[in-house]
Amino acid sequence: MSARAVQRLTLENNLRMALKNNEFVLYYQPQVTAQEQNITGVEALIRWQHPELGLIPPSDFIPLLEETGLIIEVGDWIMETACQQLKVWVQAGYTDLSMSINVSGHQFHNQKFYSRMVELTEKHGITASQIELEITESILMDKQKKTLENINKLDLYGFRIAIDDFGTGYSSLSYLQRFRVDTLKIDRSFISDIIRNPDDAAITSAVIAMAHSLKLNIVAEGVETPQQLSFLQQQNCQLIQGYFFSHPLNAKDMTQLLSNGIQ
Ligand code: C2E
Ligand code: CA
Ligand code: CA
C-alpha cells in the first residue's frame, strides 16, 4: 500500500475508535433574532475531542467520514445527541428552542433516514417542528425525484428544512417552490464583505427580499461585526448567527448563555 493509503486507513480506524470511545462532541451556536436579540435556536456543530491532539474541527474529518460511509453511524450519533440535548433544554423551560442539525448527502439519501428521524423524535418526546435539518443545494440537485419525496415526507411529519450555504451552489431557484423548504441560510462568504463590497451587499439584500416574498425564514451566517449586524437589521433579516453574538459553545456553556441571554 502507498504511504497515503496507510495514512488514510489509520485515520479511518481512528475515527471508528473515536465513535466507540465517545470522543465526538457537539457544540452549539445560537441563532439570534436581529431585532430583539433573543435566542430562538441553536445549530449543532460536531468536534472531535482527541485525547492527545485536542479539539479537532469538522473540516478535518467530515470529508473522510463521508468518503468511508462512516458518516451514517456518526450522523446517527449526531442526531441522537442533538435530540437528547434539545429535550434537556425543553425540560429546563426553553420550550420553543429549535435545534438545527447538519445532514450530509450520504445521510440524507440513506433509506432509513426518515424513519430514524421519526423514531428519534418519538423516543425523546420532541416536536418535529423544533428540528431543522440543514442540507446543501447540492443535495437538492442530486437524485431529484428521491430528494423531493424525502423532503415532502419530512415536511409532512413536521420537520423543517433549511438550505445551508445558500448562494454558493448551483440550485435553480425554481426548486425553492418545488421543495418544501422553510429556511435559507445566506453563506458566510457573502456576509463577510457586505460592508466593503457592494456586490455582496446587493446579493445579500436580494436573497433576503426573495426569502420574504417566498415566505421563507432567513438566517445570516458568519456575522462578526456590529456594522454587518446593522446592515442586516436594515434589510429586515430575521435571524443572525455568528461570532458577534457567540462562538459555538459546549452544552454547559450554551446552557449558561440561554439562561443569561445575549448581553
Ligand atoms: P456550516 O454548517 O456552514 O457551519 C458554520 C460554520 O461557520 C461552523 O464551522 C461555525 O463555527 C462557523 N462560524 C460560525 N460563525 C462564524 C463567524 O462569525 N465567523 C467565522 N469565520 N466562522 C463562523 P465549523 O463548526 O468548523 O463547521 C464547519 C462545517 O463542517 C459546517 O459548516 C458543516 O458543513 C460541517 N459540519 C459541522 N458539524 C457537522 C455535523 O454535525 N454534521 C455534518 N454533516 N456536517 C457538519
Ligand atoms: Ca450548517
Ligand atoms: Ca453554512
Side-chain angles (χ1 to χ4, degrees):
M1 271 198 287
S2 70
R4 225 183 106 70
V6 172
Q7 195 188 21
R8 216 187 103 116
L9 200 62
T10 311
L11 185 57
E12 189 180 330
N13 283 333
N14 289 349
L15 285 169
R16 273 183 212 286
M17 288 307 286
L19 183 61
K20 209 167 142 234
N21 297 341
N22 237 331
E23 289 170 10
F24 291 116
V25 280
L26 289 186
Y27 272 50
Y28 303 92
Q29 188 177 34
Q31 295 181 341
V32 180
T33 56
Q35 306 299 341
E36 302 83 7
Q37 309 194 353
N38 294 323
I39 301 174
T40 58
V42 297
E43 176 179 3
L45 295 158
I46 195 172
R47 276 97 184 83
W48 177 4
Q49 182 70 63
H50 193 283
E52 282 129 42
L53 303 175
L55 211 57
I56 303 180
S59 51
D60 288 5
F61 60 89
I62 292 269
L64 192 64
L65 288 178
E66 281 170 358
E67 270 175 55
T68 55
L70 265 174
I71 191 71
I72 300 294
E73 280 169 74
V74 176
D76 198 81
W77 176 87
I78 293 167
M79 295 185 305
E80 174 127 48
T81 307
C83 286
Q84 268 167 352
Q85 185 59 58
L86 179 62
K87 185 68 185 175
V88 169
W89 283 326
V90 166
Q91 282 175 336
Y94 306 105
T95 48
D96 295 331
L97 195 73
S98 71
M99 174 69 74
S100 297
I101 303 175
N102 291 286
V103 182
S104 83
H106 256 87
Q107 253 182 302
F108 194 78
H109 295 307
N110 186 281
Q111 303 193 91
K112 297 198 185 115
F113 180 73
Y114 169 77
S115 55
R116 183 63 179 146
M117 278 312 304
V118 169
E119 187 179 64
L120 282 174
T121 46
E122 284 174 358
K123 176 173 164 194
H124 297 288
I126 284 169
T127 317
S129 61
Q130 280 179 276
I131 301 280
E132 185 153 89
L133 302 166
E134 295 195 0
I135 60 177
T136 55
E137 288 167 287
S138 57
I139 296 183
L140 281 190
M141 300 312 286
D142 191 25
K143 307 192 172 87
Q144 293 176 18
K145 188 156 171 284
K146 269 245 116 351
T147 306
L148 188 65
E149 281 170 21
N150 241 343
I151 291 189
N152 288 349
K153 258 193 336 191
L154 289 161
D155 172 76
L156 215 59
Y157 193 79
F159 293 108
R160 292 189 306 162
I161 306 282
I163 307 300
D164 207 354
D165 308 337
F166 185 77
T168 60
Y170 291 101
S171 74
S172 100
L173 294 176
S174 67
Y175 282 97
L176 295 178
Q177 296 172 300
R178 274 187 64 206
F179 293 108
R180 294 167 191 257
V181 164
D182 299 275
T183 302
L184 300 183
K185 297 190 79 175
I186 313 177
D187 192 61
R188 197 169 75 217
S189 58
F190 299 112
I191 305 300
S192 67
D193 259 353
I194 44 177
I195 302 305
R196 276 166 309 193
N197 183 338
D199 292 345
D200 284 342
I203 291 172
T204 301
S205 311
V207 171
I208 295 170
M210 182 182 70
H212 285 155
S213 30
L214 292 173
K215 303 205 165 46
L216 299 172
N217 300 321
I218 182 98
V219 182
E221 291 193 294
V223 177
E224 296 183 352
T225 69
Q227 291 80 9
Q228 291 167 341
L229 174 64
S230 86
F231 176 87
L232 293 160
Q233 283 169 332
Q234 281 160 25
Q235 305 298 316
N236 278 324
C237 179
Q238 225 174 343
L239 289 174
I240 306 289
Q241 201 182 325
Y243 296 167
F244 180 70
F245 287 125
S246 171
H247 280 251
L249 304 172
N250 65 30
K252 184 164 163 276
D253 292 343
M254 188 64 220
T255 304
Q256 192 68 46
L257 186 69
L258 284 170
S259 135
N260 295 346
I262 300 287
Q263 304 284 321

